[in-house]
Structure formats: structure tokens, C-alpha cells
Amino acid sequence: MAVTTERQYGLFIDGELVDQQSGEVRELTEPATGDPLAHVALAGESDVDRAVEAARVAVDGPWGKTPPTERSRLLHALADAMAANRKELAELEVRNVGKAISSVKAELNQGVENFRFYASAIASIAGRSNPLGGSLLFYSLKEPVGVAAQIVPWNYPLMMTTWKLAPALAAGCAVVLKPDPATPLTALRLAELAAEVGFPPGAVNIVPGDGPTTGAYLVRHPGVDKIAFTGSTRTGSEIMRLASSPLKRITLELGGKSPNLVFADANLGDAIPSSVWAIYYSAGQSCEARSRVLVEQSIYDDFVSEFAAKTEQLRVGDPLDPETQVGSLISSAHRDKVHGFVEQGRAEGAEVVTGGDVGDGKGAFYRPTVLAKVDNSMSVAQEEIFGPVVTVIPFEDEKDAIRIANDVRYGLMATVWTGDPARGHRLASRIKAGEIAINTPYTAFPGIPFGGYKQSGFGRELGLETLDLYLETKSVLVGTGAKPFNPFGL
Ligand code: NAD
């Protein structure tokens, strides 16, 4: 299927694309050009009801009892279908989100691998049996939690959808996934592919809609058993409140303000360009963007000028051009928000070494920006800017570096650059974050648990332990003795 602009997309409920009953139809434009892209149906309350009902029927019916080997086969088939349709999915994502196709291709590859990882992992998940002795036998069963409501943000719509769908479907749950209303296209296409490869009706439902209305209704829905949310910390708090009655299991993948520590003994030939990548890929719109670069005082000035020089070499532009490294932001409203942070940083005393201005062409572009002379207490060092803006902060020694790294409400990840392996491991144990990367800018891989400490949330995705979040453990106790128990001796 070719990517078409001006197409109308429906909701995906009970195995097919359908019109909305109670929501509206909204026009989407391409962030990089401002041109019309498509019309999407948004789900209203009765549409969410339909989707939850379809999911309930699926999970209480044959889908919930499908053997793991069959679920594994279907997940591999979906990975194959995703790979076979990679060109279409990539273009759709680029046009919808505005990010560079080079990034989207990598995200797509990871999405394929996510399905494969959980397809393999589910085969080794089983209950257990402990010797209890006497005339008692115990064993446990793993059963799907039920209907999982999954809410994803706009920054990685396709990849986040695979992060969410893969473990839930592997576990045998049925899913109602709500993408951000601005970026629902690839999730809808993936649901079509899931149906084509044989996932039964109701196993995957996609209901694009606004957060405070459709999203909140889904979270409160009594037919939902589990919520998996990725988004801002503020919305995460609200989700936690909404999910409390009736009580639901929740996992929250939230924001970050991750540090990137560079010691003077590091291999700067790698640390500097890799640190540039670690903030500017996906135009800085990443939860794990290393947006606070902490640099040892003795190399601070040289580091800043070299980092800024490399930043100026980045190829910013048409996201569909394979040479582009930084595309547009999601919208001009978001770009203005990012610029507002930079202005605030300037007012607080930060020095704008490069960038700091809005591009002059069409589209929501923002020049990659370096802020130096930043103190960790400034708003630009504490707030998640979620754009191509880095703050460079000096530190005195290892103790000072750890103090600054932890002096933030978030704890999603940290990167450490050092030539001293022992120091790398010391920092790994002292920085409060869900992941520490030593001498590499990379972060998320299928099989490596990803998630937050502190206000970055709780629960892990991408790991084996994620499956447990979609499974209940049922204990079965069996009396096997020949003599009766009759504890009261009646
Ligand atoms: P957001 O919290 O505004 O929205 C995220 C999703 O929640 C959207 O689908 C939105 O429609 C929905 N939503 C909003 N209000 C809701 C409500 N009251 N009830 C139910 N749903 C609601 O976040 P955003 O600006 O779209 O995304 C960026 C944020 O996501 C950043 O903070 C980023 O760090 C975070 N993020 C985290 C991870 C991670 O894995 N930790 C990954 C990607 C993004």
C-alpha cells in the first residue's frame, strides 16, 4: 500500500477499521511542511466502550486461551509483516511526526525486533512447582491480566506501539491502545497488519483521541484491568489517580532530564560526537535525551567549543531526505514552547553558544542549541525541554558529578564517559536512574529493561520482567494425601 495523503483513517475496533460513533474527525498536517496529511477519526466514549467490549470478548474467549506457541507464531508473523511493509510505515511515520527518516528506520528495526524478542521470550515463561512436603502439592499458573489499556505519546508513535503491544499480546492480553491524536497513523496501520497475519478480532484495538477526554475515560473504564502509560510525569500523576477506582494495575514510563557525564580522562574523540547524538537524535524529543551534559571543569571550555562546532555540522532539514540528521519538531506550538525555555535560560544567565532561534523556512524546525554556563538549579537544567536544546554544566570532581547528576526529580537514565573502568562502575551504582550507559550513547534494546527511578515512573519495558506486568500468577494448592485433613478434627 502506498502512503496516501488526504486519506481518512477510522478507528480500529474488533478486527477492522470503523467510523467513529461519538468522536470527531480531525485534519492532520505534516509538521515539516504544514501541508495537509490526512483526516483521522477520534474515538468518543461510546467508541471506547465498543473497543473495551471487543477486547473483553477476545480475552475471555479463545484468544485468552491461545497457547504460547501460537502467540509466538503470530508475533513472528507480525514482525515479518512489519519488515515487509517497512517502506510504507517509515514514510507514514516521517510525514506524521516530522522526524528524520534515518531515525525512523532505526526505530522501525527495533520495533520488528521487539515483536521477535517477546515471541521468543513467551515460550520460556511458565509457572513453577515448589516441594511443600507432606500431602500437599503446589504449582502456579501464569494467566493474562485481561484487557490492557495502553496510552502512548507522539514522539515515537510506532516504536512505542511495539513496546506496548509486544509483551501484552505475548502474555495473551487483549489491548485497547490510545495513540496521541496528532500521531495515530502507524499504530492504525500496524493493527491492520496484525489482523492480516491472523490476530483474532478484539486482540488489538486502536482508539486515537484526546488525553483528558478519551484517554481519561479509557483509564477509568471498569472493563480495563491494566494501564500501561508513556508520557509526561504530570499526566502520569493524573493517570495514577484515575486508575485508583476501580483499582487497576499500572505502569508509568514518564519524563526525564538525563545527565551525560564527561570526565577529563574520557576518549573525547568518541565522547563529544556521541554526546551530540545523545541529545539531538529525534530532535531532542526523547524521554531519555541526554539533555544535561556534565563536564569536568578542567576540560569545560574546550569541550563546549568542540561540542558546539560539531552541533553546527548537523544536517537539519527535510525529514524524508536520507542525509538529514535532525528533522522538524512535532508542531510549531511545541517549537515555540522549546524556544520559550531557551529565552528563560538566557534570562537566568545561560550563554547561547549556538542555535537559539527558530528556522526561517516552512515547518516546525528549531536549530540545535547549546546552552553553556548553566547552573544545575536553572529551569533549563531542571525542566524537560523536549527539544534540540542541551545544557552544559561544569563539575569539580567525581563526588560533585554524582551530586549534580542526582540533583533532579527525574531518574530515567545516565551516560558516563571515562577512561577509568572502575569509576564507570562506581557511578553506575551511585546514580539514581533506571539505566546507566558507560562509554556508549545507546540506550534501548529489546531484552534490556527500560524505565525510571523517582519521578520518571515505575515498571520496566523491553525486558523479560515486562511480561510479568501482563500476567497474573495463580497459585494452585492440591491435597494429595490418602488420609483426610479435617483440621478441626470434626
Ligand atoms: P503527555 O503526557 O501530554 O501525553 C501522553 C499521552 O497521554 C497522549 O496519548 C495523551 O493524549 C495522553 N493523555 C494526556 N492526558 C491524559 C489523561 N488525563 N488521561 C489519559 N491520557 C492522557 O505527554 P507527551 O507530551 O505527549 O509526550 C512526551 C512525554 O512522554 C515526555 O515527558 C517524555 O519524556 C515522555 N516519554 C517517556 C518515555 C519513557 O519510556 N519513559 C518514552 C517516550 C516519551
Side-chain angles (χ1 to χ4, degrees):
M1 182 192 285
V3 171
T4 52
T5 52
E6 284 298 284
R7 178 183 156 188
Q8 175 149 341
Y9 289 77
L11 315 172
F12 195 87
I13 297 178
D14 208 13
E16 56 183 352
L17 283 171
V18 295
D19 289 338
Q20 82 289 1
Q21 277 180 354
S22 49
E24 55 175 299
V25 172
R26 195 171 287 172
E27 183 180 38
L28 300 183
T29 52
E30 294 189 34
T33 61
D35 294 337
L37 173 63
H39 287 87
V40 281
L42 302 186
E45 294 188 355
S46 63
D47 300 306
V48 171
D49 289 341
R50 281 196 293 161
V52 173
E53 176 59 20
R56 173 60 56 200
V57 169
V59 83
D60 287 350
W63 168 244
K65 295 170 191 61
T66 309
T69 45
E70 173 62 4
R71 298 201 297 264
S72 174
R73 187 191 68 72
L74 285 169
L75 284 165
H76 275 302
L78 184 52
D80 292 341
M82 198 175 160
N85 290 274
R86 68 173 74 228
K87 208 161 169 279
E88 178 210 347
L89 285 165
E91 188 178 336
L92 207 51
E93 186 87 332
V94 170
R95 286 184 184 274
N96 196 179
V97 187
K99 67 166 74 175
I101 195 158
S102 51
S103 300
V104 169
K105 281 182 177 164
E107 291 157 25
L108 216 141
N109 288 340
Q110 203 219 67
V112 171
E113 293 310 315
N114 289 337
F115 286 124
R116 295 208 191 288
F117 172 72
Y118 285 106
S120 306
I122 195 61
S124 56
I125 301 294
R128 62 192 172 87
S129 179
N130 282 9
L132 283 175
S135 52
L136 286 175
L137 166 68
F138 154 78
Y139 64 92
S140 64
L141 299 172
K142 295 283 187 183
E143 297 181 347
V145 159
V147 174
Q150 305 184 317
I151 297 179
V152 293
W154 49 259
N155 60 334
Y156 291 97
L158 178 60
M159 195 175 74
M160 287 290 133
T161 296
T162 69
W163 283 30
K164 293 275 182 286
L165 287 183
L169 295 173
C173 290
V175 170
V176 179
L177 183 138
K178 192 201 80 60
D180 189 279
T183 54
L185 303 188
T186 45
L188 289 165
R189 184 68 186 116
L190 202 57
E192 281 185 317
L193 293 176
E196 281 169 24
V197 302
F199 279 91
V204 178
N205 304 276
I206 311 287
V207 289
D210 288 320
T213 51
T214 310
Y217 185 75
L218 176 61
V219 171
R220 288 197 312 267
H221 204 293
V224 166
D225 302 293
K226 186 210 157 38
I227 312 285
F229 171 76
T230 297
S232 63
T233 299
R234 201 175 52 156
T235 308
S237 297
E238 175 66 0
I239 301 265
M240 198 159 172
R241 195 180 67 77
L242 293 173
S244 65
S245 179
L247 205 65
K248 299 183 177 82
R249 287 136 190 77
I250 60 173
T251 42
L252 301 174
E253 296 284 357
L254 308 177
K257 192 72 186 175
S258 299
N260 182 79
L261 295 84
V262 184
F263 286 86
D265 64 7
N267 171 3
L268 296 177
D270 189 13
I272 294 176
S274 291
S275 301
V276 167
W277 181 85
I279 172 65
Y280 298 120
Y281 75 92
S282 203
Q285 303 169 118
S286 297
C287 53
E288 82 289 7
R290 267 48 54 76
S291 52
R292 287 187 303 146
V293 176
L294 315 187
V295 182
E296 194 159 356
Q297 184 74 66
S298 58
I299 57 164
Y300 184 84
D301 290 339
D302 290 345
F303 181 95
V304 169
S305 49
E306 186 61 19
F307 189 98
K310 293 256 181 290
T311 298
E312 285 166 3
Q313 289 170 19
L314 290 171
R315 292 187 291 275
V316 182
D318 176 4
L320 281 167
D321 180 342
E323 297 297 311
T324 293
Q325 292 165 319
V326 181
S328 88
L329 305 195
I330 185 68
S331 65
S332 46
H334 184 61
R335 178 199 57 199
D336 294 346
K337 199 169 140 206
V338 168
H339 187 56
F341 272 112
V342 173
E343 288 299 292
Q344 198 175 340
R346 220 193 284 261
E348 288 177 15
E351 179 194 341
V352 180
V353 184
T354 186
D357 50 34
V358 174
D360 46 15
K362 280 202 303 179
F365 290 91
Y366 196 76
R367 271 219 295 145
T369 298
V370 177
L371 300 181
K373 301 204 168 72
V374 173
D375 182 275
N376 196 53
S377 62
M378 290 179 184
S379 56
V380 282
Q382 291 291 320
E383 301 297 325
E384 190 181 33
I385 298 175
F386 223 58
V389 179
V390 79
T391 53
V392 195
I393 303 167
F395 66 80
E396 293 298 334
D397 53 21
E398 192 177 308
K399 197 167 156 225
D400 196 34
I402 294 167
R403 178 188 65 78
I404 300 172
N406 287 331
D407 181 18
V408 71
R409 68 188 176 123
Y410 297 110
L412 195 55
M413 83 156 303
T415 300
V416 179
W417 297 94
T418 176
D420 175 354
R423 181 184 355 234
H425 295 296
R426 272 199 303 280
L427 267 77
S429 71
R430 294 196 189 143
I431 296 177
K432 292 184 175 28
E435 183 177 350
I436 313 290
I438 304 170
N439 293 332
T440 172
Y442 297 129
T443 56
F445 294 92
I448 298 183
F450 185 88
Y453 277 33
K454 306 198 290 190
Q455 297 301 298
S456 291
F458 46 82
R460 294 291 179 270
E461 294 193 298
L462 289 184
L464 260 188
E465 42 279 87
T466 312
L467 283 171
D468 262 338
L469 305 172
Y470 290 95
L471 290 165
E472 295 283 16
T473 300
K474 179 183 278 177
S475 297
V476 182
L477 198 57
V478 188
T480 56
K483 284 198 275 181
F485 286 95
N486 191 5
F488 273 135
L490 301 173

